[in-house]
Amino acid sequence: TPWPGFVFCMRRNSTRDDVRRARNLLQAALRASAVFKTNADNESVARLQHEFGLAHDDASTWLDGVQYSANGIVSTHMLESTRDILIECAVLQCATKQTVAEYAPDSIAFGP
């Protein structure tokens, strides 16, 4: 997909403890995604085949194209582009399009 497969979201009024827990969760997700991407013993491809009924070559090609953030940072452009697509497809229903800065906690870093 042309957007993040998963994103952690927080309320603007999140506490420092909330942010710490979210960062710990993000680090665990990054470690898990790195293990999945390495496809040790063809295990990830086999799981994709089983879960989604894909042929081996299709699952392998898909996995080769998957990219995970190495540091957990997603660009502002990616977030806003994702939001726009989800609004266009009526997955999100928003009266106005806020910028990332308007709804993101100040304590979370975003890329350019």
Side-chain angles (χ1 to χ4, degrees):
T1 60
W3 52 71
F6 64 90
V7 175
F8 294 102
C9 298
M10 298 184 67
R11 296 181 194 278
R12 192 160 186 63
N13 63 349
S14 298
T15 66
R16 286 192 173 139
D17 198 42
D18 292 335
V19 172
R20 181 190 55 76
R21 284 194 302 265
R23 285 190 175 137
N24 289 342
L25 181 60
L26 176 61
Q27 290 305 313
L30 291 171
R31 287 190 302 272
S33 64
V35 168
F36 183 75
K37 182 70 175 159
T38 62
N39 192 30
D41 298 326
N42 225 20
E43 191 174 317
S44 297
V45 168
R47 182 166 185 179
L48 291 168
Q49 287 180 266
H50 175 74
E51 293 290 327
F52 301 104
L54 299 173
H56 181 275
D57 288 348
D58 291 339
S60 183
T61 298
W62 180 86
L63 186 60
D64 288 344
V66 170
Q67 296 177 1
Y68 292 105
S69 171
N71 58 11
I73 294 176
V74 177
S75 73
T76 299
H77 173 74
M78 174 62 78
L79 292 173
E80 290 179 350
S81 174
T82 300
R83 178 215 48 220
D84 293 347
I85 291 168
L86 294 174
I87 289 172
E88 184 179 322
C89 295
V91 174
L92 288 178
Q93 310 213 338
C94 301
T96 62
K97 291 183 180 179
Q98 296 175 296
T99 65
V100 170
E102 290 175 305
Y103 58 82
D106 297 333
S107 53
I108 301 297
F110 294 97

